């Protein structure tokens, strides 16, 4: 009886410390940020307001969603304690003590640095290739090697001070191009497609955006520390959901729950049998699951070999897939949506 009494007394504090309102509010703010952002992002399709005002709201959908939900958390739900944006206060331009590293640490750092360089190379070039997609109708030429050289030079300086690296990344690089584009809506066989007419190819927008990013340092630690972690999670979720538009893998997965008569008139649907399309999608989903498993693994150093895992998937694409699918089908599935654009 005494042991039962001891165990019951140990359970009581756990129940008293349980605060179900915290995870509930976290989920509300996360989904609220996503809902406000997606609603404003898609307001260009609504009949309300003028065209210019709808485009303005769509361009600033994400900051409006973050500010609105951050304000609601700080004012309306201030009685609930939430995890907020953490700021580590230290000297910003303080050199990293590289001289304190042992020879073994230097060798290990070289190996990990090689893996990171592969990741930067792939992420930078994939982002640049999407930005320079022919559907964007860009007139100025691409500069893949020059862009990578500039990124390498900037990150070398940032590494010496222990500051975060920068690089062209998804999805905000294509979103920046989309924000500078004039978009028209066209109808093809009952399906509505947004078509980019032209893009204002200017460096001024990029310069001003990075100046504003630099000025955001003046907002540290306050008022940025008032933004809850839930709102930041909703921000990243918004970026993920908004990038699904035009993603061919997502479109092919949606075919599984779409009636065949309502299939969009994409060129690969007209040229590839439906079973082959689903087989191609299944192989991509399995590879995506492998990458997600490595990315969410609790082992920190496992993420450092992430680029090597991506490289190991290349034989699947160039050796295994041609054995499962006819090369003409693979060419159609890999091609851009250029038939109706």
């Amino acid at each position: 009886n005494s042991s039962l009494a001891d165990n019951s007394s140990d359970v009581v504090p756990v129940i008293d410390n349980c605060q179900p309102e915290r995870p509930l509010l976290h989920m509300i703010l996360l989904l609220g940020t996503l809902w406000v952002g997606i609603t404003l992002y898609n307001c260009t399709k609504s009949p309300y307001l003028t065209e210019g005002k709808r485009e303005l709201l769509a361009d600033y959908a994400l900051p409006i969603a973050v500010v609105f939900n951050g304000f609601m958390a700080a004012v309306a739900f201030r009685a609930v304690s939430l995890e907020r944006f953490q700021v580590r206060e230290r000297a910003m331009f303080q050199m990293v003590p590289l001289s304190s590293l042992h020879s073994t640490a230097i060798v290990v750092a070289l190996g990990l640095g090689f893996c990171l360089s592969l990741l930067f190379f792939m992420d930078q070039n994939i982002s640049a290739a999407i930005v320079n997609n022919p559907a964007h109708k860009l007139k100025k030429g691409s500069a893949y090697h020059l862009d990578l050289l500039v990124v390498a030079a900037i990150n070398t300086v940032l590494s010496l001070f222990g500051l975060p690296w920068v690089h062209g990344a998804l999805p905000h690089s294509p979103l920046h191009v989309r924000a500078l584009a004039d978009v028209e809506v066209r109808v093809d066989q009952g399906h509505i497609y947004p078509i980019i007419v032209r893009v204002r190819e200017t460096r001024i927008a990029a310069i001003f955006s990075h100046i504003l990013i630099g000025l955001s340092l003046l907002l540290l630690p306050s008022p940025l520390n008032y933004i809850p972690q839930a709102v930041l999670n909703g921000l990243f979720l918004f970026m993920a959901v908004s990038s699904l538009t035009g993603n061919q893998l997502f479109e092919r997965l949606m075919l599984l729950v779409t009636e065949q008569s309502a299939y969009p008139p994409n060129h690969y649907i007209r040229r590839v049998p439906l079973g082959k399309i689903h087989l191609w999608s299944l192989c991509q989903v399995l590879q995506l699951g492998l990458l997600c498993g490595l990315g969410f693994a609790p082992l920190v150093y496992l993420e450092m070999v992430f680029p090597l895992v991506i490289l190991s998937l290349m034989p699947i694409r160039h050796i295994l897939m041609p054995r499962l699918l006819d090369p003409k089908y693979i060419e159609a599935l890999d091609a851009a949506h250029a038939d109706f654009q």
Side-chain angles (χ1 to χ4, degrees):
N1 294 335
S2 61
S3 61
L4 293 177
D6 294 339
N7 293 334
S8 61
S9 63
D10 294 338
V11 175
V12 173
V14 177
I15 297 177
D16 291 340
N17 293 332
C18 181
Q19 299 177 351
E21 67 273 9
R22 295 184 61 183
L24 179 60
L25 180 58
H26 184 101
M27 185 62 64
I28 292 175
L29 292 176
L30 186 150
L31 297 178
T33 304
L34 175 64
W35 179 77
V36 174
I38 293 297
T39 302
L40 295 179
Y41 183 75
N42 294 326
C43 71
T44 53
K45 305 175 184 177
S46 68
Y48 305 108
L49 303 178
T50 61
E51 181 179 0
K53 293 178 180 179
R54 291 196 299 265
E55 292 182 357
L56 183 64
L57 289 175
D59 291 339
Y60 293 94
L62 186 54
I64 292 175
V66 171
V67 171
F68 174 77
N69 287 274
F71 177 80
M72 293 296 294
V75 177
F77 301 101
R78 61 180 180 271
V80 181
S81 60
L82 293 173
E83 183 182 359
R84 301 191 179 277
F85 181 68
Q86 300 294 328
V87 180
R88 186 177 63 178
E89 297 184 5
R90 69 173 183 87
M92 185 176 301
F93 296 101
Q94 181 179 356
M95 290 285 293
V96 176
L98 299 176
S99 59
S100 61
L101 292 176
H102 299 288
S103 58
T104 305
I106 295 176
V107 174
V108 174
L110 289 175
L112 297 178
F114 174 73
C115 295
L116 283 175
S117 65
L118 292 178
L119 182 60
F120 270 81
F121 176 81
M122 290 185 291
D123 202 1
Q124 175 73 29
N125 282 280
I126 290 173
S127 303
I130 295 177
V131 167
N132 290 281
N133 191 304
H136 292 161
K137 298 180 176 61
L138 301 179
K139 296 181 180 180
K140 296 182 180 179
S142 59
Y144 294 96
H145 303 300
L146 180 59
D147 290 343
L148 196 59
L149 177 63
V150 173
V151 169
I154 294 175
N155 289 334
T156 300
V157 178
L158 295 176
S159 299
L160 295 176
F161 294 98
L163 297 175
W165 293 314
V166 298
H167 61 96
L170 302 172
H172 49 267
S173 295
L175 290 178
H176 179 76
V177 176
R178 187 62 175 262
L180 297 175
D182 291 336
V183 182
E184 290 183 356
V185 177
R186 298 180 183 177
V187 180
D188 184 10
Q189 300 183 18
H191 294 270
I192 300 176
Y193 296 99
I195 304 298
I196 294 180
V197 179
R198 71 182 183 97
V199 176
R200 296 173 176 83
E201 302 179 53
T202 173
R203 295 184 177 92
I204 298 179
I207 291 175
F208 272 103
S209 63
H210 286 83
I211 289 176
L212 293 176
I213 292 174
L215 293 177
S216 66
L217 296 175
L218 302 177
L219 304 178
L220 295 175
S222 180
L224 289 184
N225 57 358
Y226 286 99
I227 301 178
Q229 188 68 33
V231 176
L232 297 179
N233 293 339
L235 180 150
F236 293 118
L237 187 59
F238 166 83
M239 296 176 66
V241 173
S242 60
S243 64
L244 292 178
T245 303
N247 184 285
Q248 191 186 106
L249 175 59
F250 177 74
E251 293 177 350
R252 284 189 270 108
L253 292 177
M254 292 303 297
L255 296 180
L256 296 171
V257 293
T258 304
E259 186 180 0
Q260 292 191 9
S261 60
Y263 282 0
N266 296 346
H267 66 284
Y268 62 85
I269 294 180
R270 297 195 296 263
R271 296 170 55 184
V272 183
L274 188 60
K276 302 296 184 180
I277 294 177
H278 293 332
L279 177 60
W280 178 265
S281 302
L282 176 62
C283 294
Q284 288 187 326
V285 169
L286 292 177
Q287 297 175 66
L288 178 62
L290 174 62
L291 296 178
C292 291
L294 292 175
F296 290 108
L299 302 177
V300 178
Y301 289 99
L302 187 60
E303 299 179 359
M304 305 298 289
V305 298
F306 188 80
L308 299 179
V309 178
I310 296 180
L311 289 179
S312 67
L313 298 178
M314 295 181 63
I316 298 178
R317 165 63 180 83
H318 295 284
I319 298 177
L320 178 60
M321 294 309 300
R323 297 178 182 272
L324 299 177
L325 294 175
D326 194 291
K328 64 179 182 181
Y329 295 153
I330 296 179
E331 181 181 359
L333 291 168
D334 270 347
H337 297 188
D339 287 6
F340 53 83
Q341 289 183 352

